[in-house]
């Protein structure tokens, strides 16, 4: 008889790079109807379910999303001064392997 040892590895999800974007403060004149809507395209090579975790360095800002949402809405409070800031999404698979992308 023969014996074989099999090692199974899990790769972190892949994420398509996110382009920089402009987000208007809440209630701004001329803001598009999809203002603040950010989507990410991610794939898991083992085809497991993915969870999405959104963060931002923008002052007076927050994300509206769920952990399973590949789209989130970044809301910036009215009256916030214009600034350049980042947002980051971490995409994790069922085995706990994660990848991040910053825009």
């Amino acid at each position: 008889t023969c014996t074989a040892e099999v090692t199974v590895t899990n790769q972190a999800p892949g994420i398509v790079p996110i382009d920089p974007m402009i987000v208007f403060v809440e209630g701004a004149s001329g803001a598009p109807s999809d203002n603040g809507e950010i989507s990410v395209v991610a794939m898991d090579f083992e085809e497991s379910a993915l969870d999405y975790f959104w963060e931002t360095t923008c002052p007076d800002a927050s994300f509206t999303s769920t952990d399973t949402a590949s789209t989130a809405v970044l809301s910036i409070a009215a009256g916030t001064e214009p600034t350049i800031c980042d947002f980051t999404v971490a995409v994790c698979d069922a085995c706990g392997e994660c990848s991040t992308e910053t825009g």
Side-chain angles (χ1 to χ4, degrees):
T1 64
C2 297
T3 57
E5 185 175 310
V6 177
T7 303
V8 178
T9 58
N10 180 53
Q11 290 183 298
I15 303 175
V16 174
I18 301 171
D19 292 328
M21 62 184 303
I22 295 173
V23 177
F24 292 83
V25 297
E26 290 180 19
S29 174
S33 61
D34 63 348
N35 184 47
E37 190 173 291
I38 303 169
S39 294
V40 64
V41 176
M43 69 289 299
D44 186 66
F45 302 102
E46 293 80 28
E47 299 182 9
S48 86
L50 298 174
D51 289 321
Y52 299 80
F53 303 94
W54 297 87
E55 295 181 345
T56 184
T57 62
C58 298
D60 298 319
S62 62
F63 275 106
T64 304
S65 73
T66 64
D67 290 348
T68 58
S70 61
T71 299
V73 177
L74 177 62
S75 298
I76 302 173
T80 302
E81 291 293 319
T83 187
I84 296 174
C85 52
D86 292 324
F87 59 88
T88 301
V89 61
V91 181
C92 302
D93 66 18
C95 295
E97 290 291 330
C98 300
S99 296
T100 59
E101 180 67 28
T102 298

